[in-house]
Amino acid sequence: MIHIYNNINIAPRISFGVHHQVKTLVEFENVEDLRSYFSEHNPEKWYILGAGNNTLFTHDYDGVVLTPVCRELEVLAETDDYVDIRVEAAADWDTLVQWSVDKGLWGMENLSAIPSSVGAAPVQNIGAYGAEAKDVITHVEYFDCRTMNVVRLTNEECRFAYRESIFKQELRGVAIIMAVEMRLWRAPKPNLGYGDVMREVEALGGVSLANIRCAITAIRGRKLPDPKVLGNAGSFFKNPIVEREVAERLLDEYPSMPHYDVPGEPNKVKLAAGWLIDQSGLKGYREHGVGVHEHQALVLVNYGTASGYDVKHFADFVISVVEHKFGVAISPEVNIL
């Protein structure tokens, strides 16, 4: 069933909490809802909004915001080695991670406490602590607004990369994700090589699914502000990937600079945007109701009075300061409208 809201304040539906009006918001449950709406209204301008944790509105939006409300989980297949599941787009990502841990299934635990809907996960290829959504996704189903048909892509066809997918490129403005299929494993596959995860897990009593989830949830909780208290979208910036010679030049000057190899790209190096922002003297800096979070420089926060335009203007300022100091361009991870 479709629910249509006109001239709605988007603030309660996005984690940044900025107050902007949306001309039309449509909640839908299934493909037939979408076929009906697109056939009748044929909207020229639309945007798909999931849980609202990775979107920044910078002005009133005069188009249509489409929001899924379908959240069913179905087990497709089970073997001694793995379980295949299909989860609808509106399902909460972290609730799904908890389900997988409760079932003793490996693959999602490092992605604990990421605020996201399941449908948004493949768009950004969300990731944390050495894991990415692409590691468990097998297929993605989407509604093609041009043909009104459902298309099912394989993992390879989704063209996943660091915070990238086909849904941010060729299928942007075309695809509305309806469901995601994943394969989770029965045998332990601990991934503990990133940051403080191993130390935290050991302090909890050793390697187990529950301890890994608990450790990562605790680490994220210490570093990241609660959007119910301070408006934010988690990591605002992507970690930049630079040529190896650029990284080596910077390492000569800053030997302690965090840096990571890029799988499959030996001439590329990933840098830590949070470190670059921190070293630029911006951690904790604020102006006009928006600032860099005092504990995690990747996060921009709305102190309650900032507009979306203020946040975007401040983000541009951070980008310019980092580029001036290091000669490295960082870019937003957040979708900006």
Side-chain angles (χ1 to χ4, degrees), residues 268-304:
K268 303 284 188 180
V269 176
K270 183 167 67 173
L271 307 182
W275 185 90
L276 297 172
I277 296 167
D278 188 3
Q279 295 300 306
S280 298
L282 294 175
K283 183 186 282 188
Y285 179 77
R286 59 189 285 184
E287 61 180 34
H288 304 304
V290 59
V292 178
H293 191 247
E294 60 184 355
H295 298 307
Q296 174 51 271
L298 270 181
V299 178
L300 300 188
V301 295
N302 175 9
Y303 288 101

Side-chain angles (χ1 to χ4, degrees), residues 106-151:
W106 292 77
M108 301 187 72
E109 59 280 355
N110 282 43
L111 302 175
S112 292
I114 296 178
S116 175
S117 63
V118 168
V123 178
Q124 289 287 115
N125 183 26
I126 60 174
Y129 299 98
E132 293 179 312
K134 71 175 179 60
D135 301 334
V136 295
I137 291 173
T138 58
H139 298 84
V140 176
E141 296 176 21
Y142 73 88
F143 173 82
D144 189 313
C145 68
R146 302 165 300 184
T147 65
M148 306 288 185
N149 293 324
V150 174
V151 182

Side-chain angles (χ1 to χ4, degrees), residues 5 15 18 45 79 82 150 159 168 192 304 317 327:
Y5 304 87
S15 61
V18 294
K45 181 179 180 180
T79 74
Y82 62 80
V150 174
R159 298 185 202 167
K168 291 180 69 176
L192 305 176
F317 164 73

Side-chain angles (χ1 to χ4, degrees), residues 58-337:
T58 59
H59 51 76
D60 291 347
Y61 188 74
D62 61 357
V64 177
V65 171
L66 299 160
T67 298
V69 294
C70 42
R71 55 184 73 234
E72 293 297 317
L73 183 156
E74 176 186 3
V75 175
L76 299 176
E78 295 188 65
T79 74
D80 292 339
D81 297 321
Y82 62 80
V83 174
D84 287 343
I85 61 174
R86 177 184 181 274
V87 189
E88 292 182 315
D92 177 70
W93 178 266
D94 195 52
T95 300
L96 178 62
V97 177
Q98 182 66 63
W99 177 89
S100 71
V101 170
D102 291 343
K103 295 293 185 181
L105 300 172
W106 292 77
M108 301 187 72
E109 59 280 355
N110 282 43
L111 302 175
S112 292
I114 296 178
S116 175
S117 63
V118 168
V123 178
Q124 289 287 115
N125 183 26
I126 60 174
Y129 299 98
E132 293 179 312
K134 71 175 179 60
D135 301 334
V136 295
I137 291 173
T138 58
H139 298 84
V140 176
E141 296 176 21
Y142 73 88
F143 173 82
D144 189 313
C145 68
R146 302 165 300 184
T147 65
M148 306 288 185
N149 293 324
V150 174
V151 182
R152 183 170 177 261
L153 297 183
T154 64
N155 180 295
E156 184 177 16
E157 290 171 329
C158 290
R159 298 185 202 167
F160 291 123
Y162 173 66
R163 301 299 182 269
E164 280 291 345
S165 71
I166 194 171
F167 304 106
K168 291 180 69 176
Q169 303 300 328
E170 295 96 313
L171 294 182
R172 185 180 181 91
V174 170
I176 299 174
I177 293 176
M178 302 301 297
V180 180
E181 296 178 28
M182 306 176 209
R183 174 163 292 180
L184 305 174
W185 299 91
R186 297 190 188 277
K189 295 176 178 289
N191 178 358
L192 305 176
Y194 198 100
D196 298 330
V197 177
M198 173 63 87
R199 183 172 61 198
E200 192 96 15
V201 168
E202 290 298 327
L204 289 168
V207 176
S208 71
L209 272 170
N211 284 350
I212 294 172
R213 173 166 167 77
C214 185
I216 288 175
T217 300
I219 293 169
R220 289 180 65 89
R222 290 195 297 267
K223 290 183 177 181
L224 302 174
D226 184 347
K228 295 177 183 177
V229 179
L230 281 177
N232 73 90
S235 298
F236 194 94
F237 301 100
K238 293 187 287 188
N239 291 322
I241 294 175
V242 301
E243 298 293 332
R244 185 166 293 276
E245 62 185 35
V246 173
E248 290 173 349
R249 172 178 57 80
L250 289 170
L251 283 166
D252 286 341
E253 188 172 355
Y254 307 98
S256 63
M257 180 184 72
H259 59 287
Y260 310 92
D261 290 335
V262 179
E265 298 190 67
N267 295 321
K268 303 284 188 180
V269 176
K270 183 167 67 173
L271 307 182
W275 185 90
L276 297 172
I277 296 167
D278 188 3
Q279 295 300 306
S280 298
L282 294 175
K283 183 186 282 188
Y285 179 77
R286 59 189 285 184
E287 61 180 34
H288 304 304
V290 59
V292 178
H293 191 247
E294 60 184 355
H295 298 307
Q296 174 51 271
L298 270 181
V299 178
L300 300 188
V301 295
N302 175 9
Y303 288 101
T305 60
S307 68
Y309 173 83
D310 293 332
V311 176
K312 173 64 166 59
H313 181 75
F314 186 84
D316 290 341
F317 164 73
V318 172
I319 291 168
S320 66
V321 171
V322 170
E323 186 162 17
H324 182 263
K325 182 174 179 63
F326 294 101
V328 173
I330 60 174
S331 59
E333 182 176 328
V334 171
N335 295 312
I336 299 174
L337 297 179

